[in-house]
Amino acid sequence: MTTTQDTQDFASYIASLPRVLAGAAALFRDARGRVLLVEPNYREGWALPGGTIESDEGESPREGARRETAEEIGLDRPLGRLLAVDWVRTPGVPPLVAYLYDGGVLREDELRAIRLQEEELLSWRLVEREEITAHLPGSLGRRVLAALDVLADGSGTAELEDGHRVH
């Protein structure tokens, strides 16, 4: 039997633990191998379809990536395998664990069916591999390139730190 004190002690313990943020995204490509990027309206630059995992509600990384994809681009489809996991450090904020799943190859009709979430996104585009880091600088660009390498060579999930492969 737990007491109110036990519950308060446990809540205090949980509150004292280190914080880690978690996000999940999907890597979609077209038949030519170009990567689908989205342009957020709340910050400069480009991103992948994805976002924060609602872990307080029990959402898993895979569920979060699928939910975010459906919300952001209007495509609700099962995701493929986990391509990369990245531990991202940014000064002044808790670290981020970023999960990147294979969204698959989108057919022309699926590309035409994309409907952007107007509250968050301005546009979308398809980008060649050679242009990835120009649109996605830093760890995100490196994460996408590592995921494309995993797809190309059939290797296992890439373990990354700040976008650099560690295993």
Side-chain angles (χ1 to χ4, degrees), residues 2-12:
T2 61
T3 65
T4 302
Q5 184 61 44
D6 292 336
T7 302
Q8 290 172 340
D9 289 347
F10 185 70
S12 295

Side-chain angles (χ1 to χ4, degrees), residues 14-23 52-56 85-89 93-99:
I14 294 297
S16 74
L17 293 175
R19 300 285 175 256
V20 175
L21 306 175
T52 301
I53 300 165
E54 294 179 359
S55 56
D56 286 349
V85 178
D86 196 359
W87 180 265
V88 182
R89 299 171 188 94
V93 298
L96 167 70
V97 178
Y99 298 84

Side-chain angles (χ1 to χ4, degrees), residues 11-157:
S12 295
Y13 166 71
I14 294 297
S16 74
L17 293 175
R19 300 285 175 256
V20 175
L21 306 175
L27 181 66
F28 293 103
R29 286 118 30 237
D30 72 353
R32 292 178 35 199
R34 296 176 299 177
V35 174
L36 175 71
L37 302 183
V38 294
E39 182 183 19
N41 62 16
Y42 53 86
R43 67 172 174 81
E44 292 292 319
W46 293 85
L48 294 172
T52 301
I53 300 165
E54 294 179 359
S55 56
D56 286 349
E57 277 82 58
E59 185 174 66
S60 73
R62 178 176 294 278
E63 292 167 337
R66 184 170 180 173
R67 175 188 51 77
E68 286 283 348
T69 297
E71 289 174 4
E72 290 187 353
I73 62 172
L75 299 180
D76 184 14
R77 48 187 276 159
L79 299 175
R81 69 187 182 111
L82 180 63
L83 300 174
V85 178
D86 196 359
W87 180 265
V88 182
R89 299 171 188 94
T90 304
V93 298
L96 167 70
V97 178
Y99 298 84
L100 184 52
Y101 291 92
D102 183 5
V105 176
L106 298 175
R107 300 180 314 265
E108 285 297 321
D109 61 310
E110 291 173 306
L111 290 168
R112 285 191 304 272
I114 291 174
R115 298 295 174 263
L116 296 178
Q117 181 183 33
E118 292 180 6
E119 299 82 23
E120 291 188 17
L121 300 176
L122 297 170
S123 65
W124 65 273
R125 72 184 317 169
L126 293 165
V127 175
E128 302 280 352
R129 178 190 174 96
E130 297 76 28
E131 301 172 23
I132 293 291
T133 55
H135 289 86
L136 304 173
S139 63
L140 179 54
R142 292 188 298 271
R143 184 179 323 132
V144 170
L145 293 176
L148 290 171
D149 289 344
V150 164
L151 285 167
D153 65 22
S155 59
T157 302

